[in-house]
Every structure is written in C-alpha cells, then in structure tokens.
Amino acid sequence: FIAIIVSSIVKPIYKGGFEIVVKNEAPTNALNKALYASARFSFDNDSKTQEFILRSPSVLKPVHRFALDQYRMRNDKDLTNISYKWWVATTLKINFKQGTDVLNISFIDHDKDFIIETLNKISKRYQNYTRVVKERELNNLLSHLRLQEEEFKEKSLKSKKELNKFSIENGLGDIDGFVSLGNQ
C-alpha cells in the first residue's frame, strides 16, 4: 500500500545516453610518422585523457549553464547555487566501456525532452572541441613544415654554391655545367 502511494507521488527519473568512439588518430604511414615526429607532436590520446577532457568545464560549462537555465524555467527557483562539479557528479555519467575505445555518456532527469536536448549539446560541444584541437595541431604542423621548407632551401642554396666553387677550383664539368643558383 505504501509503495503504491509513494510511486504515485514521486516523479519518474529517466536516463538517456549515447556513445562516442574515441580513436587514436596517429599517423599510419612512415612519412607521416616522421613529419609528426619532427614537429614533436605526440599521440598520447589515451582513454582517461579523453574522459577528463569531456568532463572538463572548458567543454561542459556552457551545457551546465543551459541546464541551470532550464531548471530555473521549469521550477521557478533560483538554482545558481548548483555547482558545476555537483551537477556533473549527480546528473552525468561519463566512462569508458571496459577494454574499449567507446566512451559512454548518460544523463538523468525527470524530463525526457530535456535529456535529449542536453545530450545533443554535450555531443556538439565535444565534437567542436575535438575539431578545434585537430585544427590547431594541423596549423602547428603546417607552420613547422613551412619553417622546415625555408631551412632546407637555405641549405640547398649553400650546397649548390659549394658545388660550383668546388667545380671551378678542380676544373670539373664544362662551362655551362654550373648549378643554377636561382630561387628554384
């Protein structure tokens, strides 16, 4: 009898979730590995790091603000005292499936639509974060490669000059056999 009364009074709590496959996108061929190694990029993209990144305020703080605004609108209460850490600890579950690269994210609340909306925001924030990180890494690699190109152009020009000097001093090659010192 008590269980029936309690179940009719208490609001049901729903849980929604999604999964993200976190791939270690290290270069696969030898040339790309060498390029990335020369630029000193690392690919320590381990599971715990990705889990920590997803839990971080830099990724989820806007979602937290959205959730607080929704709580405020639904309950007509000022819930600004709900801390980010408490919100993540009580409503979000973020962890890897054991032995896999699959990250499980789940969210609990009384409103199904709010769960879906919140999970969509979390997904978009994480995708945006990983895109920005990837763009930053590629821009850094591009800058590094441009510096390397200039450095090797200078070395090449110096080597050509030394070859021409050596050829003249030792009477090697014909008169038209000099190496071009142009900007090629």
Side-chain angles (χ1 to χ4, degrees):
F1 182 71
I2 294 174
I4 294 172
I5 293 174
V6 170
S7 66
S8 65
I9 296 174
V10 175
K11 285 177 144 180
I13 296 177
Y14 301 102
K15 178 180 179 181
F18 65 95
E19 296 175 341
I20 298 175
V21 177
V22 179
K23 292 183 182 176
N24 186 357
E25 295 187 16
T28 54
N29 66 26
L31 178 60
N32 285 344
K33 286 180 182 178
L35 285 174
Y36 276 84
S38 71
R40 293 177 187 86
F41 289 118
S42 67
F43 292 96
D44 297 331
N45 197 10
D46 71 1
S47 300
K48 285 296 180 190
T49 302
Q50 291 301 313
E51 185 178 333
F52 180 77
I53 287 169
L54 186 55
R55 287 181 189 273
S56 71
S58 61
V59 174
L60 289 182
K61 192 67 170 175
V63 180
H64 173 245
R65 278 189 239 117
F66 164 77
L68 290 181
D69 288 343
Q70 292 298 313
Y71 295 147
R72 189 176 311 122
M73 287 183 350
R74 287 190 324 203
N75 300 327
D76 289 332
K77 295 179 185 174
D78 184 19
L79 301 173
T80 54
N81 60 344
I82 295 177
S83 72
Y84 173 80
K85 284 184 178 184
W86 183 87
W87 178 76
V88 169
T90 59
T91 62
L92 278 175
K93 300 292 182 246
I94 302 171
N95 52 19
F96 274 88
K97 282 187 177 181
Q98 192 168 5
T100 68
D101 290 333
V102 177
L103 185 60
N104 284 323
I105 295 99
S106 58
F107 183 71
I108 57 172
D109 194 76
H110 298 288
D111 184 355
K112 293 177 188 177
D113 293 332
F114 176 60
I115 291 172
I116 292 169
E117 205 171 345
T118 303
L119 289 173
N120 284 334
K121 289 191 180 298
I122 291 170
S123 174
K124 286 178 185 171
R125 290 290 301 167
Y126 184 71
Q127 289 171 5
N128 190 34
Y129 171 81
T130 54
R131 181 186 52 80
V132 167
V133 167
K134 186 74 167 174
E135 284 178 2
R136 187 179 316 132
E137 285 178 355
L138 290 175
N139 285 334
N140 288 342
L141 179 62
L142 185 61
S143 297
H144 173 73
L145 291 175
R146 286 186 179 140
L147 289 173
Q148 290 287 86
E149 180 183 30
E150 290 300 317
E151 185 179 315
F152 282 109
K153 278 183 182 178
E154 291 173 16
K155 286 181 180 181
S156 173
L157 183 60
K158 182 180 175 186
S159 294
K160 287 178 184 179
K161 287 180 181 179
E162 288 177 9
L163 175 63
N164 283 343
K165 182 179 175 186
F166 181 81
S167 296
I168 292 171
E169 289 174 355
N170 295 303
L172 300 174
D174 57 2
I175 291 182
D176 292 342
F178 293 116
V179 176
S180 172
L181 297 176
N183 288 336
Q184 296 180 358

